[in-house]
Amino acid sequence: MSEVVAQRDGVRVEKVTTSGAFELDGGSWDVENNVWLIGDDDSVLVVDPGHESGPILAAVAGRRIAGIWCTHAHNDHIDAAAGIKQVQPDVRIALHPDDWPLWELTYPEQRFDDDLADGDVQTVAGARIEVLHTPGHSPGACCFHLPDLGIVLTGDTLFHGGPGATGRSFSSFPVIIDSIRDRLLTLPPQTRVLTGHGDATTIGDEAPHLQEWIDAGS
């Protein structure tokens, strides 16, 4: 089941919530993930297919999947991708190549199909989606900006209340702060921030707290 969180000119953004375990560095944590569908009645782009493919495919409801884009390669953002490809084998999975070391922890024998790069643009159902490379939570972490809808999908880079976690392998607090300051907080203040976990926020609500985050550290 999905929830429509934004729509304009026939394009809508839907949220599907999935649950499972995030695993890294020998630890395991139960988490709920936000999976995002961007499209219309005919086709959708799936962003961050975490955990079970069943709820995601139910929300897709037979539409053509225009692609799978992953903000980063932690298992809880990619581990339903294989199940989706079993149903629509022509679907291509895109990820920034700097996250290959994380990807292969989940898929050691299967590479993703396409490399995302900063500045890449794809149009789905008339909606322009721009790639912003925002490393820090992981080396290849990206955010996806939909300027016409006033939305940015931030994965685990920026949340309601601050930056994503940087205490585990392949992460860096100074780098994520640079990414947020230089690539996200420069967006219009009214831009809605749709996150990988938890509630949405806006750029304007988060921007005043940058120095607090820096002072608090990782």
Side-chain angles (χ1 to χ4, degrees):
M1 186 174 181
S2 64
E3 171 192 357
V4 177
V5 299
Q7 53 186 341
R8 178 179 176 181
D9 299 330
V11 181
R12 60 186 182 269
V13 179
E14 303 165 58
K15 180 174 78 170
V16 181
T17 302
T18 60
S19 301
F22 163 51
E23 299 176 341
L24 188 65
D25 296 338
S28 180
W29 301 265
D30 292 333
V31 292
E32 286 193 344
N33 283 61
N34 298 328
V35 181
W36 302 103
L37 308 181
I38 305 166
D40 57 16
D41 290 337
D42 299 317
S43 63
V44 292
L45 179 73
V46 177
V47 176
D48 285 354
H51 308 303
E52 300 177 271
S53 61
I56 302 169
L57 290 167
V60 169
R63 290 174 285 179
R64 182 181 69 86
I65 299 177
I68 295 172
W69 279 19
C70 304
T71 60
H72 63 293
H74 285 151
N75 73 285
D76 58 322
H77 290 255
I78 65 171
D79 54 10
I84 293 172
K85 279 184 74 79
Q86 288 180 351
V87 176
Q88 294 196 27
D90 293 337
V91 171
R92 300 184 68 82
I93 302 169
L95 175 73
H96 194 286
D98 286 355
D99 261 20
W100 167 251
L102 288 165
W103 170 271
E104 66 177 348
L105 295 177
T106 300
Y107 297 112
E109 298 180 358
Q110 174 187 349
R111 196 187 188 278
F112 47 94
D113 302 295
D114 298 314
D115 291 349
L116 292 177
D118 188 67
D120 282 351
V121 175
Q122 180 166 327
T123 301
V124 177
R128 178 182 173 89
I129 308 168
E130 304 172 350
V131 177
L132 308 176
H133 182 211
T134 53
H137 183 67
S138 70
C142 291
C143 298
F144 305 140
H145 184 212
L146 287 72
D148 295 337
L149 278 76
I151 284 171
V152 62
L153 309 182
T154 57
D156 288 1
T157 294
L158 178 63
F159 291 104
H160 176 60
T166 54
R168 303 186 182 101
S169 296
F170 306 104
S171 66
S172 167
F173 180 73
V175 172
I176 201 172
I177 288 293
D178 287 346
S179 292
I180 291 171
R181 181 185 58 233
D182 298 340
R183 306 308 309 278
L184 296 179
L185 300 188
T186 54
L187 297 176
Q190 67 273 20
T191 303
R192 292 181 66 193
V193 176
L194 304 183
T195 62
H197 310 269
D199 296 332
T201 183
T202 68
I203 293 296
D205 285 342
E206 300 306 318
H209 303 288
L210 176 63
Q211 190 59 49
E212 297 172 25
W213 306 333
I214 294 171
D215 293 342
S218 58

